Amino acid sequence: MNDGYIFMIGIWILFILAVTRWLDFFWAHHPHKALIRKGVIIVLAMKLLTQEWYLPLGSQYAINVSSIFIPALICGFFLWRDRSGFLRQMMAVILFLGVFYAVSHQLFLWDPVLMVMPTMYMFPVFFTLFLLLATLHLPQQWLMMTSGMILGEIVHKWFLLRYVDYVVVGDAAFRDQLVIGLCLVTAVTLTARLGIKVYQYLYHKFHSQWKEEG
């Protein structure tokens, strides 16, 4: 499959689900759920329309509007509006993920043997493991996954300027990688939550039985 198709398919699926109200359970208890739903649909439509739009920042550097510029604005807004008391921890995790991403790419340039698997899959796997250690709150995981990858991609491509004349930040491969990361962390977190609930249910059930027998 060519680069960029995973991103396009993923955004189209989310767009259809949002339009047909299958995603309403995410914001069902929010007082402004109708406004949020419209905002999600508009953002997804903008991401589809701007997939191949690149914003030039000088003669050597350009960023993709769909995978870098729009998500960076959204992540910045939610970090600025965060009232959870977890902001400092999230900023620390984002910084760690961004540095890990950029430094890893630099090491792979020096010694490709260190690349244990394609980066499109390696970074989503490692980012998911790191985020599971930080929190099981999905919106915060999405925010840190997206922000960490964007920061890492920006720094990584800035490092590349010493080797090439022109770099593109947020290319088709990066867009696919970001979608894979968000899907993976969602699936693993939901599975972990289910496992915890099953464990708690079984523990309370057998614990009560042991008390009765004792």
Side-chain angles (χ1 to χ4, degrees):
M1 184 181 292
N2 293 333
D3 292 340
Y5 277 95
I6 295 176
F7 173 83
M8 184 171 62
I9 292 171
I11 297 299
W12 267 114
I13 290 174
L14 289 176
F15 181 78
I16 294 170
L17 291 175
V19 170
T20 55
R21 298 181 179 273
W22 279 91
L23 296 181
D24 284 4
F25 67 92
F26 278 113
W27 47 78
H29 302 292
H30 198 281
H32 305 293
K33 54 187 177 183
L35 182 62
I36 292 177
R37 177 176 170 271
K38 291 178 181 178
V40 169
I41 293 174
I42 291 172
V43 168
L44 291 173
M46 289 175 61
K47 290 177 73 65
L48 285 170
L49 291 173
T50 59
Q51 292 178 76
E52 301 300 327
W53 292 13
Y54 291 91
L55 182 65
L57 299 178
S59 59
Q60 295 179 289
Y61 206 79
I63 64 172
N64 183 262
V65 174
S66 182
S67 63
I68 301 294
F69 185 72
I70 294 176
L73 290 179
I74 295 173
C75 290
F77 173 77
F78 280 108
L79 288 171
W80 175 63
R81 292 292 302 272
D82 180 74
R83 299 294 182 270
S84 67
F86 195 59
L87 179 60
R88 290 184 179 179
Q89 291 90 332
M90 284 196 294
M91 294 300 296
V93 172
I94 291 169
L95 180 60
F96 171 77
L97 294 177
V99 171
F100 175 80
Y101 183 102
V103 171
S104 297
H105 268 294
Q106 194 69 19
L107 290 175
F108 298 154
L109 285 176
W110 294 337
D111 192 353
V113 175
L114 297 174
M115 193 185 303
V116 294
M117 67 178 76
T119 56
M120 183 181 294
Y121 307 108
M122 187 185 72
F123 286 117
V125 169
F126 278 97
F127 275 35
T128 297
L129 294 176
F130 292 144
L131 291 176
L132 285 176
L133 297 175
T135 181
L136 287 179
H137 189 256
L138 266 178
Q140 291 177 344
Q141 287 181 334
W142 294 335
L143 182 58
M144 289 186 285
M145 173 75 75
T146 304
S147 301
M149 278 200 182
I150 290 175
L151 175 61
E153 176 74 357
I154 291 172
V155 176
H156 159 54
K157 292 300 175 65
W158 181 72
F159 284 161
L160 278 183
L161 285 175
R162 70 184 68 179
Y163 306 109
V164 297
D165 296 327
Y166 187 79
V167 295
V168 173
V169 184
D171 54 14
F174 174 79
R175 296 196 292 271
D176 286 348
Q177 177 183 270
L178 181 57
V179 169
I180 292 171
L182 293 172
C183 291
L184 182 61
V185 75
T186 301
V188 172
T189 299
L190 292 178
T191 302
R193 284 183 180 179
L194 179 61
I196 292 172
K197 288 181 179 179
V198 171
Y199 168 78
Q200 291 174 341
Y201 170 77
L202 293 175
Y203 175 80
H204 289 301
K205 181 178 180 180
F206 288 109
H207 187 66
S208 60
Q209 288 180 355
W210 293 335
K211 278 187 174 182
E212 291 176 0
E213 293 174 359

